[in-house]
Amino acid sequence: MAARAALLLLLGAAGAGPVPAQGSRGDREPVYRDCLNHCERRNCSGPGLRHFRSHQPLYMSLTGWTCRDDCKYECMWLTVGLYVQEGYKVPQFHGKEPASAFASLLNGLANLVMLNRYKALVPRSSPMYHTCIAFAWVSLNAWFWSTVFHTRETNLTEKMDYFCASAVILHSVYLCCVRTLGLKYPTFATAFGGFLLLFLACHVSYLTLVRFDYGYNMAANVAIGLLNLFWWLGWCMRNQQRLPYVWKCVAVVLLLQALALLELLDFPPLFWVFDAHAIWHISTIPVNILFYSFLVDDSLYLLKANSDVLKID
């Protein structure tokens, strides 16, 4: 299940969606801005810039880390130190998020492990096999870009993180459509999948070629997330007596909604590393594993059901 769906749904309902275009509050603090201007004048031109480049580690140059980025990072910690010293609430900053990047990487690794487990346990002849495999690869791609974005925040990585998250939510809707209707009405599932692809293409084109509208992106994802949430939950409720393993899907849906509350909390990072966003990312790892466990159980059930029908015929 797409963890982003729960987050976007909850934030949209609360009216508290992030608006990165305006920058974080910490980036607008006078102390931070003065420090940044001074640092850039001192270190990002002439001899200072040459010194920075000659001492820059290889891994930073490979990720495009610039002198300005270095100044922003240093000034962020200077501002944080002053706020803590004076007893003020520490504002949030944009930039590198190593804990979130590491958590995204762990989510990707968990998806990869569960993908291999699914392929090992479920024969290719299972009716849901190819749809589940495609969902796993779409999820892996999203976690890859989430890792990249939290490692190096640029316009490109931000857009890829947003677009790939939307693709996961849409594919979760398609996965639900195939499971609930597509096995009986494959033509409908194919047409619906084509519609979702067209919607994603229009969505990405508008945000890329017209303007990157965060409000529209949030509204679109909230609408898709609502559809995804209630469609899965409704199917689970109807089949909970006949299919005892659907509790896993119900648990995933409800846990994602509960865990999304972490994104609404505002507290200083634990050990100055784990903020609410990073903790949310970490907490989705076992939830994703549980959803793959549901997919394995359901795919094996469908395989057995098909086999029993063939025997009767």
Side-chain angles (χ1 to χ4, degrees), residues 56-65 152:
Q56 185 180 29
L58 179 61
Y59 73 92
M60 283 191 167
S61 61
L62 290 176
T63 57
W65 189 256
R152 186 72 176 91

Side-chain angles (χ1 to χ4, degrees), residues 31 78-90 272:
V31 172
L78 174 67
T79 306
V80 167
L82 290 174
Y83 270 72
V84 172
Q85 182 179 336
E86 298 298 326
Y88 293 115
K89 183 178 179 181
V90 177
W272 297 111

Side-chain angles (χ1 to χ4, degrees), residues 89-90 262 265-270 274-277 279:
K89 183 178 179 181
V90 177
L262 286 169
L265 299 178
D266 186 16
F267 55 84
L270 301 177
F274 300 100
D275 60 6
H277 185 68
I279 295 172

Side-chain angles (χ1 to χ4, degrees), residues 254-309:
L254 298 180
L255 280 172
L256 288 178
Q257 301 309 305
L259 291 173
L261 289 171
L262 286 169
E263 282 294 289
L264 299 182
L265 299 178
D266 186 16
F267 55 84
L270 301 177
F271 311 109
W272 297 111
V273 175
F274 300 100
D275 60 6
H277 185 68
I279 295 172
W280 172 72
H281 269 318
I282 293 171
S283 65
T284 61
I285 297 172
V287 179
N288 281 320
I289 293 173
L290 184 61
F291 186 62
Y292 276 101
S293 177
F294 159 74
L295 293 179
V296 169
D297 291 344
D298 194 52
S299 296
L300 291 176
Y301 163 79
L302 290 171
L303 183 67
K304 183 178 184 301
N306 273 14
S307 177
D308 291 343
V309 169

Side-chain angles (χ1 to χ4, degrees), residues 4-262:
R4 301 287 178 90
L7 170 62
L8 291 167
L9 171 61
L10 187 59
L11 291 180
V19 187
Q22 298 175 356
S24 296
R25 185 169 69 88
D27 299 338
R28 300 191 299 270
E29 290 296 313
V31 172
Y32 172 82
R33 301 302 305 176
D34 290 344
C35 173
L36 182 60
N37 290 333
H38 178 71
C39 179
E40 288 182 323
R41 287 196 303 269
R42 185 182 69 247
N43 299 327
C44 298
S45 63
L49 181 59
R50 289 193 294 272
H51 179 270
F52 169 78
R53 288 174 176 170
S54 64
H55 290 78
Q56 185 180 29
L58 179 61
Y59 73 92
M60 283 191 167
S61 61
L62 290 176
T63 57
W65 189 256
T66 66
C67 179
R68 176 176 170 79
D69 293 324
D70 204 61
C71 282
K72 290 168 69 175
Y73 185 74
E74 294 295 331
C75 290
M76 176 190 72
W77 284 112
L78 174 67
T79 306
V80 167
L82 290 174
Y83 270 72
V84 172
Q85 182 179 336
E86 298 298 326
Y88 293 115
K89 183 178 179 181
V90 177
Q92 184 178 11
F93 293 84
H94 273 91
K96 288 201 305 183
E97 301 176 69
S100 294
F102 183 63
S104 296
L105 178 63
L106 290 180
N107 269 285
L109 291 175
N111 272 263
L112 182 60
V113 169
M114 295 308 295
L115 167 61
N116 290 328
R117 183 172 184 271
Y118 181 91
K119 292 168 69 174
L121 295 177
V122 180
R124 295 174 65 89
S125 54
S126 175
M128 289 293 295
Y129 180 88
H130 296 290
T131 307
C132 291
I133 293 296
F135 174 77
W137 281 111
V138 171
S139 298
L140 275 170
N141 180 62
W143 286 118
F144 168 78
W145 283 107
S146 177
T147 303
V148 172
F149 171 63
H150 288 109
T151 302
R152 186 72 176 91
E153 183 177 338
T154 67
N155 286 334
L156 174 62
T157 59
E158 180 186 39
K159 286 181 171 62
M160 292 303 298
D161 181 49
Y162 273 75
F163 297 158
C164 293
S166 296
V168 174
I169 303 172
L170 286 169
H171 204 288
S172 182
V173 173
Y174 176 69
L175 183 70
C176 186
C177 173
V178 173
R179 180 58 184 94
T180 58
L181 298 172
L183 298 179
K184 290 184 179 180
Y185 311 103
T187 303
F188 173 79
T190 301
F192 187 70
F195 167 76
L196 293 178
L197 279 174
L198 180 62
F199 174 83
L200 180 62
C202 294
H203 181 71
V204 171
S205 296
Y206 172 74
L207 293 174
T208 304
L209 302 176
V210 181
R211 72 187 186 97
F212 200 87
D213 187 333
Y214 291 93
Y216 157 73
N217 184 68
M218 175 65 70
N221 281 289
V222 166
I224 301 166
L226 280 169
L227 175 63
N228 186 56
L229 168 68
F230 290 114
W231 198 343
W232 272 115
L233 202 56
W235 177 81
C236 290
M237 293 298 100
R238 290 195 305 272
N239 291 277
Q240 60 179 335
Q241 299 298 326
R242 186 171 61 90
L243 306 174
Y245 57 82
V246 299
W247 70 266
K248 297 179 181 180
C249 188
V250 174
V252 168
V253 170
L254 298 180
L255 280 172
L256 288 178
Q257 301 309 305
L259 291 173
L261 289 171
L262 286 169

